[in-house]
Amino acid sequence: MIGYQLLERAPLRARNTFGVEATAALLADVRSPAALAELLDYPLVRQSEVLILGEGSNLLFAGDFDGVVIAPATTGIQIIEEDADRVRVRAEAGERWDDLVRWSVGRGLHGLENLALIPGSVGAAPIQNIGAYGADISQSLAFVEAFDRDQHVHRTLAAADCVLGYRDSLFKREAQRWVVTAVAFDLRRSADLRLDYAGVREEIAAMGVESPRPLHAAEAISRIRARKLPLPSLLGNAGSFFKNPSVPSAQSEALADRFAELPSFADGDGKQKLSAAWMIEHCGWRGFREGDAGVAAQHALVLVNHGHASGAQILSVARRVADSVEQTFGVALEPEPRIIGARW
Ligand code: FAD
Ligand code: EPU
């Protein structure tokens, strides 16, 4: 069996959660590591710009993509090592992230429960070190298997070599170099749950659970997420459109004098992280709509496509949102999703 399937002038609307129209000059779903190496060795592919595509839940196509889109499609979740305390689990890049979370909490394992219901593929999880509800994957990552396009070899990178940060990693910084093919996590048979994020304990109590296990934490967080964030299948979006900005403490204190309610959190190194959602809402954008592009009524940090907005129209709203936040607060917002076909 040939390990990949090629499509020319491939439509991408069903492959991005904003649901915007775009085409790729060439698209390949790749089903084995050998096929990936073979495909990346073609002169045409070596000379083209390459975009690695998971489920398209953190991308905005502002135009067509004139290069080669490669979608890793290998699947499988396996325990590769275990002892009395720890279980090392390896998952292929093409698995759905939430399926891995369900697989782990279903076995009573600790480590991924706070990351329940984050859309996307396992292969994309290290790209921005996905995080939510007081956790991110850096706390449980064991290693990443990736194809290195510079050296043309498969490599295994230890967690410490992945340079994971807030919505950041080596793979994000060197996007043309790496194709993540599998990810492994060290999960615990027992550990304290991280339930401090606002609303999580209350949700578990409302579920009538007195001694929560990872399964309950995942369920509580899924319920909160389902209330807070629009479902991409009903309303196109890519989750948070902007990162929460980190500013020097002096700047955050000066802002607190003017905006006493602006949420801010210690971010190490004399910095404070500010709530982008709060600032955007304060500027009056929540629920804004122009044509089919807009800002979610449910959550001010989420840009949405009500049906037939183009990526360029969504980007235009994003720029105006960021400009008004900069004028009001003196803080520059940076997009979280990767923008294809335009510069921020
Ligand atoms: P894609 O969108 O396909 O790709 C994203 C980036 O990763 C691109 O640059 C792409 O080139 C690269 N990439 C993808 N796969 C690979 C690979 N195998 N190798 C190399 N590069 C690759 N994120 C959070 O961190 N926390 C949240 O709470 C959260 N909530 C969300 C809620 C909603 C409703 C939505 C729509 C998104 C949310 N996100 C969140 C963002 C998104 O789910 C994550 O970033 C996810 O990891 C993206 O996975 P994907 O497979 O869709 O990646
Ligand atoms: N808020 C508003 N208006 C809104 C929404 C929120 O003022 O419309 C304020 C409230 O004060 C609220 C605070 O913002 O308490 C925080 O809101 P939320 O808990 O939704 O978190 P967030 O900072 O907006 C971040 C991540 C999310 C992640 C949640 C939960 C970023 C950019 N976003 O959002 O990740 O799910 O925390 O941990 O860090 C994503 O990356 O796509 C994503 C959804």
Side-chain angles (χ1 to χ4, degrees), residues 133 166-167 197 228 240 242 244 275 281 286 299-300 336:
Y133 294 85
Y166 167 65
R167 302 291 187 267
Y197 199 93
K228 267 195 191 174
S240 302
F242 298 101
N244 285 324
S275 166
E281 178 164 356
R286 186 161 162 167
H299 200 299
E336 177 188 297

Side-chain angles (χ1 to χ4, degrees), residues 17 51-59 72 93 118-121 123-125 127-128 130-132 167 178-180 225 229-230 232 237-239 336 338:
T17 60
L51 170 67
I52 313 303
L53 182 65
E55 295 185 8
S57 66
N58 213 19
L59 291 170
I118 297 180
S121 57
I127 311 305
Q128 70 161 11
I130 54 170
R167 302 291 187 267
W178 302 101
V179 185
V180 173
R225 292 182 67 97
L229 297 169
N237 75 87
E336 177 188 297
R338 174 146 166 215

Side-chain angles (χ1 to χ4, degrees), residues 173-257:
R173 291 173 189 198
E174 300 179 355
Q176 283 301 306
R177 179 167 179 190
W178 302 101
V179 185
V180 173
T181 55
V183 187
F185 296 92
D186 281 333
L187 306 178
R188 302 262 153 206
R189 295 189 196 276
S190 92
D192 291 334
L193 292 170
R194 281 165 296 205
L195 306 177
D196 291 336
Y197 199 93
V200 177
R201 283 184 208 282
E202 292 78 354
E203 194 67 34
I204 289 177
M207 284 159 54
V209 175
E210 281 172 17
S211 308
R213 289 179 279 118
L215 183 71
H216 302 116
E219 177 58 26
I221 286 166
S222 299
R223 290 181 184 201
I224 297 170
R225 292 182 67 97
R227 285 197 298 268
K228 267 195 191 174
L229 297 169
L231 200 61
S233 56
L234 300 179
L235 185 61
N237 75 87
S240 302
F241 194 86
F242 298 101
K243 294 188 262 185
N244 285 324
S246 185
V247 301
S249 298
Q251 187 179 355
S252 137
E253 281 158 26
L255 282 168
D257 289 343

